[in-house]
């Protein structure tokens, strides 16, 4: 059953409290905007903030200015760094935000544009260095903090892209190629495009490697590390990083396995056993939430000579700016990602935009090695993903997706589609719970047993691997946390099913055997947004009790935490948003399409969702909506690519850690999967 949400002190309630019940059209507008906000990846607090900024310009049209500011927030929430000040775009946004009152949009657009030339001056300026909430530049409207970050990042990246490459040692790479990794007795040789990526990465100041699922990005990282070690690099000169804890863990695991597969390792290869595990970017840069400070920046750069970042498409403009400006001048930066995947949850499409201006520093990987002939399901997933990426709606046919009239007909291989009207949802969840959640009697016995932790809360029982392995095989993916087919509602329903099975009240928020996920970074406990764990009974100094158990950075080690200590930081994870699933892989996934069209339903989101699976994908929902989503691409408006080209001859800006520089905090608009 759905969990009640606490009442919110909303903008229109405040306005009515101040002006009385006869508050008039402005209060009605605020109420309408609050009702529409979740459809645009906003919560009601964004409406409150837009109203509070608008009233700071007393001479302006408060209704039109509030709607204009909220449009900027909506664009940022959906990943743009700026809002085009064109009548067509503003009308599209205004109509969406007004919903049933969309007929008012043309008049409000005209009034909003009229605000730009004078009345909105207290909150808006044309001076790029002004300290007001909004800046007008290049025919668009920016949040001041986003513009500052984008300008700094463009200058830093442009400077690196202009540096001449230093030729790599050909003997070092030749020795690496002569000692390939082995799989089932067969040598895994690097393709020509992979070799070019390695050569580029070991010789350039910055390299961007873009490739879809299974194109061998891990092989490139390992070959590059082996080459650099032969050129004199020490393991502690390398920093591996990723945007999320899950992606960092997967990066470490993949690199470790690839190094172990080298059949005839040289002494330089054995040194790489000392390589530190990958860390989240926040941890790498030494972010302290207490003081909202960063240990590493322009005046205290990282000591690493090489920084390699996986899943770079997930990195937003603020964090990428922090990273690039925390590098020493001679540090190599390697960014790996999939340009066709969803861009970052927060503002900017940094990886995609930087690729367009990277020149010879860009390497694109095309060939996929994940989908083998003996895996028809994997090949079907790859083909469907490729068609989605090209905007082709013809997803069904031999070797592609298959439509199943009934849920019972859904199999365990390839891509399959079934309608999911409201009356079928309970049947789907019952089947998913029975086949993908509950497990067999042996697994249930393991989940119910008491595990023993040491004094530091660490667990090393190898039996935990099978428990975690079960939950890592499959997942339900949703567009958002909101609405009837959102992650929050699906988690509630599967939680109720688990409670009935365990004979426990559903009001208990977390039951033994349930998967959980971190919603926020917890630096003290080294837990990060997106980390996934399981609630298990653990015995520590306080006796046996239900605790949240998460994998440690060290292989074969898990850590247990009291549930009370993580209150408000964890949520159930039977289902998660596609954004949260980035950096993860599962054997099978179910993608729940929304009941109605949403701006978030795009080909990039569907491509990202489908490529989380190795063997099986269930696309559940209205087929027309699926086709509509494939035909819609993410519209992100940003100035980074233009600024990269324009910044080639510009002097570097002052360091962002210098006194008096504007703060580079995250934007005020919430992330798409944080809507109520």
């Amino acid at each position: 059953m759905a969990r009640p949400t606490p009442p919110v002190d909303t903008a229109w309630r405040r306005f009515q409290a101040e002006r009385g019940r006869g508050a008039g059209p402005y209060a009605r507008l605020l109420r309408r905007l609050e009702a529409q906000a979740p459809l645009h990846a906003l919560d009601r607090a964004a409406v409150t903030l837009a109203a509070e900024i608008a009233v700071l310009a007393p001479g302006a049209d408060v209704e039109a200015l509030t709607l204009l500011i909220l449009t900027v927030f909506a664009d940022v929430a959906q990943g743009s760094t700026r809002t085009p000040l064109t009548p067509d775009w503003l009308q599209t946004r205004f109509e969406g935000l007004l919903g049933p009152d969309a007929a008012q949009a043309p008049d409000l657009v005209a009034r909003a544009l009229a605000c730009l030339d004078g009345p909105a001056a207290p909150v808006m300026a044309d001076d790029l260095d002004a300290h007001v909430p909004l800046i007008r530049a290049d025919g668009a409207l920016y949040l001041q903090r986003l513009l500052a970050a984008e300008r700094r990042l463009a200058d830093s990246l442009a400077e690196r892209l202009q540096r001449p490459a230093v030729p790599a040692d050909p003997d070092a790479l030749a020795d690496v190629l002569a000692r390939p990794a082995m799989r089932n007795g067969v040598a895994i040789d690097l393709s020509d495009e992979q070799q070019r990526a390695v050569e580029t990465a070991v010789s350039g100041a910055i390299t961007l490697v873009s490739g879809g699922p299974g194109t061998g990005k891990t092989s490139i990282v390992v070959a590059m590390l082996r080459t650099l070690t032969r050129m004199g690099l020490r393991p502690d000169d390398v920093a591996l990083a990723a945007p999320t804890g899950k992606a960092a863990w997967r990066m470490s695991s993949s690199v470790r396995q690839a190094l172990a597969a080298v059949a005839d390792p040289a002494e330089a290869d054995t040194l790489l056993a000392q390589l530190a595990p990958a860390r989240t970017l926040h941890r790498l840069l030494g972010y302290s939430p207490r003081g909202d400070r960063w240990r590493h920046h322009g005046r205290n750069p990282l000591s690493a000579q090489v920084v390699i970042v996986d899943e770079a498409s997930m990195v937003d403009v603020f964090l990428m700016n922090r990273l690039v400006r925390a590098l020493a001048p001679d540090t190599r930066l390697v960014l790996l990602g999939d340009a066709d995947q969803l861009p970052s949850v927060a503002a900017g499409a940094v990886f995609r935009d930087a690729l367009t201006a990277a020149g010879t520093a860009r390497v694109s990987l095309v060939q996929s090695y994940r989908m083998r002939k003996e895996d028809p399901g994997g090949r079907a997933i790859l083909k469907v993903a490729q068609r989605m990426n090209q905007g082709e709606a013809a997803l069904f046919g031999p070797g592609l997706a298959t439509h199943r009239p009934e849920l019972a007909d859904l199999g365990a291989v390839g891509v399959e589609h079934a309608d999911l009207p409201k009356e079928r949802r309970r049947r789907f969840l019952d089947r998913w719970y029975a086949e993908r959640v509950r497990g067999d009697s042996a697994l249930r016995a393991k989940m119910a047993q008491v595990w023993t932790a040491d004094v530091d809360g660490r667990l090393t029982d190898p039996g935990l691997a099978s428990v975690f392995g079960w939950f890592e095989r499959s997942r339900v993916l949703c567009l958002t946390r909101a609405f009837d087919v959102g992650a929050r509602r699906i988690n509630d329903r599967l939680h109720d099913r688990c409670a009935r099975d365990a004979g426990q009240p559903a009001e208990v928020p977390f039951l033994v055997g349930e998967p959980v996920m971190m919603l926020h970074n917890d630096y003290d406990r080294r837990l990060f947004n997106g980390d996934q764990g399981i609630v298990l009974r653990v015995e520590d100094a306080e006796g046996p009790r239900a605790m949240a158990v998460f994998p440690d950075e060290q292989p074969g080690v898990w850590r247990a935490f009291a549930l009370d200590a993580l209150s408000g930081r964890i949520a159930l994870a039977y289902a998660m948003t596609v954004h949260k699933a980035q950096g993860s892989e599962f054997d099978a996934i179910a993608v729940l399409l929304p009941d109605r069209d949403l701006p978030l339903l795009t080909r990039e989101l569907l491509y990202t969702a489908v490529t989380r699976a190795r063997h099986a994908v269930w696309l559940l929902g209205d087929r027309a909506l699926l086709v509509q989503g494939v035909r819609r691409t993410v519209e992100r408006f940003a100035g980074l690519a233009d600024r990269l080209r324009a910044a080639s001859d510009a002097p570097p800006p002052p360091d962002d850690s210098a006194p008096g520089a504007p703060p580079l905090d995250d934007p005020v608009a919430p992330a798409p999967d944080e809507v109520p």
Side-chain angles (χ1 to χ4, degrees), residues 586-667:
F586 307 98
D587 287 344
I589 61 167
V591 182
L592 300 190
L593 301 173
D595 290 327
R596 50 182 163 170
D597 188 31
L598 296 175
L600 292 174
L601 182 60
T602 63
R603 75 178 60 156
E604 289 87 353
L605 182 139
L606 291 168
Y607 170 88
T608 302
V610 166
T611 54
R612 298 310 91 205
R614 301 183 188 94
H615 305 300
V617 175
W618 291 357
L619 297 169
L620 304 178
D622 185 83
R623 185 166 172 171
L625 278 179
L626 173 64
V627 170
Q628 193 165 338
V630 170
R631 288 174 173 163
R632 177 191 293 132
T633 188
V634 168
E635 280 195 283
R636 289 204 168 185
F637 303 103
L640 180 63
D642 293 338
R643 293 183 189 282
L644 277 173
R645 290 183 281 267
S648 57
D649 298 321
D655 188 81
D656 59 310
S657 60
L664 295 182
D665 301 318
D666 290 335

Side-chain angles (χ1 to χ4, degrees), residues 13-35:
R13 289 188 188 278
R14 290 187 190 182
F15 191 86
Q16 282 195 325
E18 293 172 3
R19 309 276 181 100
R21 284 196 168 274
Y26 187 49
R28 290 194 294 272
L29 173 66
L30 294 177
R31 191 166 189 175
R32 170 55 59 198
L33 296 178
E34 286 166 356

Side-chain angles (χ1 to χ4, degrees), residues 405-410 419-435 494 497 618 620:
E406 297 294 334
L407 290 173
D409 298 331
L410 291 167
D419 294 322
L420 195 67
K422 194 169 185 178
E423 61 271 15
R424 284 187 176 189
R425 287 174 195 162
R426 181 177 293 279
R427 274 188 286 156
F428 157 67
L429 292 175
D430 284 345
R431 179 179 175 185
W432 188 265
Y433 179 82
E435 296 180 4
L494 287 170
R497 183 69 179 80
W618 291 357
L620 304 178

Side-chain angles (χ1 to χ4, degrees), residues 162-204:
Q162 292 168 40
R163 291 187 204 169
V166 178
D169 182 350
D171 294 335
L173 179 56
D175 189 56
V176 169
L177 297 176
R179 301 169 186 266
M182 306 291 289
R183 179 188 295 135
N184 300 324
V186 179
I188 305 173
D189 296 317
L190 295 183
S191 66
D192 291 343
E193 65 182 11
Q194 288 176 320
Q195 289 185 43
R196 177 176 168 256
V198 174
E199 292 168 352
T200 304
V202 300
S203 61

Side-chain angles (χ1 to χ4, degrees), residues 429 476 478 484-494 575 592:
L429 292 175
V476 178
C478 309
D484 200 47
V485 287
R488 182 183 292 121
R489 188 68 59 84
I490 300 302
N491 279 321
D492 284 346
R493 289 174 175 173
L494 287 170
L592 300 190

Side-chain angles (χ1 to χ4, degrees), residues 34-387:
E34 286 166 356
Q36 292 292 116
L39 300 177
H40 300 272
L42 295 170
D43 63 17
R44 288 174 289 184
V47 181
T48 300
L49 184 57
E52 289 177 342
I53 293 174
V55 298
L56 295 176
D61 183 329
V62 68
E63 294 181 8
L65 186 55
T66 298
L67 199 49
L68 179 61
I69 295 168
L70 193 63
T71 292
V72 176
F73 290 171
D75 285 339
V76 170
Q78 294 181 34
S80 295
T81 63
R82 61 185 182 181
T83 293
L85 290 173
T86 61
D88 287 348
W89 179 249
L90 292 182
Q91 174 138 341
T92 297
R93 268 285 187 243
F94 280 26
E95 287 176 351
L97 289 167
L98 290 167
D101 298 331
Q104 301 176 23
D107 176 58
L108 283 164
V109 168
R111 289 157 57 187
L113 291 172
C115 284
L116 299 176
D117 297 319
V123 298
M124 190 183 303
D126 294 328
D127 181 357
L128 299 186
D129 297 310
H131 286 253
V132 291
L134 300 159
I135 304 291
R136 186 165 58 166
D138 306 319
L141 199 56
Y142 282 88
L143 292 178
Q144 182 270 338
R145 292 171 293 177
L146 266 172
L147 177 61
E150 187 175 87
R151 292 172 65 200
R152 289 190 174 103
L153 176 59
D155 289 335
S156 298
L157 289 176
E159 190 275 329
R160 285 184 170 273
L161 288 168
Q162 292 168 40
R163 291 187 204 169
V166 178
D169 182 350
D171 294 335
L173 179 56
D175 189 56
V176 169
L177 297 176
R179 301 169 186 266
M182 306 291 289
R183 179 188 295 135
N184 300 324
V186 179
I188 305 173
D189 296 317
L190 295 183
S191 66
D192 291 343
E193 65 182 11
Q194 288 176 320
Q195 289 185 43
R196 177 176 168 256
V198 174
E199 292 168 352
T200 304
V202 300
S203 61
I206 182 171
T207 304
L208 295 93
V209 181
S210 176
T215 50
K217 293 188 287 291
T218 297
S219 298
I220 291 169
V221 171
V222 172
M224 182 182 65
L225 292 173
R226 296 175 65 200
T227 302
L228 289 170
T229 304
R230 285 160 170 77
M231 294 168 59
L233 192 80
R234 299 172 303 174
D236 56 3
D237 291 330
V238 178
L240 304 179
T244 68
K246 180 68 173 179
W249 182 87
R250 281 190 56 233
M251 185 184 191
S252 294
S253 177
S254 299
V255 169
R256 187 171 58 250
Q257 291 174 14
L259 287 170
V262 177
D264 181 25
E267 182 180 354
D269 297 323
T270 59
L271 284 175
L272 289 171
Q274 305 170 22
L275 191 67
R279 290 172 283 178
T280 65
L281 286 169
H282 281 80
R283 187 166 181 80
L284 175 70
L285 297 175
Y287 177 64
S288 171
R290 288 192 178 90
D292 193 25
R293 299 181 66 84
W294 303 76
R295 182 184 308 119
H296 295 291
H297 44 73
R299 294 187 175 186
N300 182 33
L302 292 162
S303 61
Q305 294 183 26
V306 177
V307 175
I308 306 172
V309 181
D310 198 12
E311 299 288 352
S313 62
M314 297 170 62
V315 184
D316 63 78
V317 67
F318 288 103
L319 189 53
M320 189 67 79
N321 177 62
R322 288 287 183 186
L323 170 65
V324 174
R325 296 179 68 80
L327 302 178
D330 58 349
T331 297
R332 294 183 180 92
L333 175 63
V334 181
L335 303 174
L336 302 108
D338 184 348
D340 298 319
Q341 204 171 273
L342 273 174
S344 58
V345 175
V350 175
F351 185 70
R352 184 189 67 192
D353 290 349
L355 281 169
T356 65
T360 57
R362 167 183 179 159
V363 180
S364 297
L365 306 177
V366 178
Q367 185 176 354
S368 177
Y369 303 91
R370 181 186 298 173
M371 313 309 180
R372 300 184 295 276
K373 290 182 179 179
E374 63 271 22
D375 181 13
R379 293 204 319 275
I381 292 171
L382 179 61
K383 287 182 180 179
V384 169
Q386 289 172 337
R387 292 205 173 191

Side-chain angles (χ1 to χ4, degrees), residues 452-629:
T452 303
D454 64 18
V455 293
D456 296 319
R458 290 155 52 97
L459 301 91
T460 56
D461 192 317
L464 280 169
S466 62
V467 177
F468 276 82
W470 171 255
F471 282 105
E472 289 169 359
R473 290 191 182 112
S474 57
R475 202 60 50 104
V476 178
L477 302 185
C478 309
L479 259 69
T480 73
R481 294 180 65 196
F483 311 120
D484 200 47
V485 287
R488 182 183 292 121
R489 188 68 59 84
I490 300 302
N491 279 321
D492 284 346
R493 289 174 175 173
L494 287 170
H495 173 75
D496 292 347
R497 183 69 179 80
C498 180
R500 291 199 308 272
D501 208 30
Q504 296 288 325
E507 288 71 25
V508 177
F510 303 106
L511 300 168
V512 171
E514 291 198 298
V516 293
M517 178 176 60
M518 291 292 296
L519 298 178
H520 309 286
N521 294 330
D522 187 330
Y523 297 91
D524 292 335
R525 296 177 176 83
R526 290 185 293 118
L527 294 172
F528 303 97
N529 186 3
D531 284 359
Q532 297 166 43
I534 302 173
V535 177
L536 297 170
R537 289 185 63 79
V538 178
E539 183 166 19
D540 61 3
E542 298 187 22
R545 53 182 171 149
M547 302 181 74
V549 179
F550 290 86
D552 188 59
E553 294 174 347
Q554 182 179 345
V557 178
W558 294 263
R559 294 182 296 140
F561 302 91
L563 292 173
D564 289 346
L566 299 179
S567 178
R569 294 182 174 87
I570 58 173
L572 293 168
Y574 295 108
M576 63 176 63
T577 63
V578 177
H579 281 92
K580 289 287 189 185
Q582 284 182 272
S584 298
E585 286 183 4
F586 307 98
D587 287 344
I589 61 167
V591 182
L592 300 190
L593 301 173
D595 290 327
R596 50 182 163 170
D597 188 31
L598 296 175
L600 292 174
L601 182 60
T602 63
R603 75 178 60 156
E604 289 87 353
L605 182 139
L606 291 168
Y607 170 88
T608 302
V610 166
T611 54
R612 298 310 91 205
R614 301 183 188 94
H615 305 300
V617 175
W618 291 357
L619 297 169
L620 304 178
D622 185 83
R623 185 166 172 171
L625 278 179
L626 173 64
V627 170
Q628 193 165 338

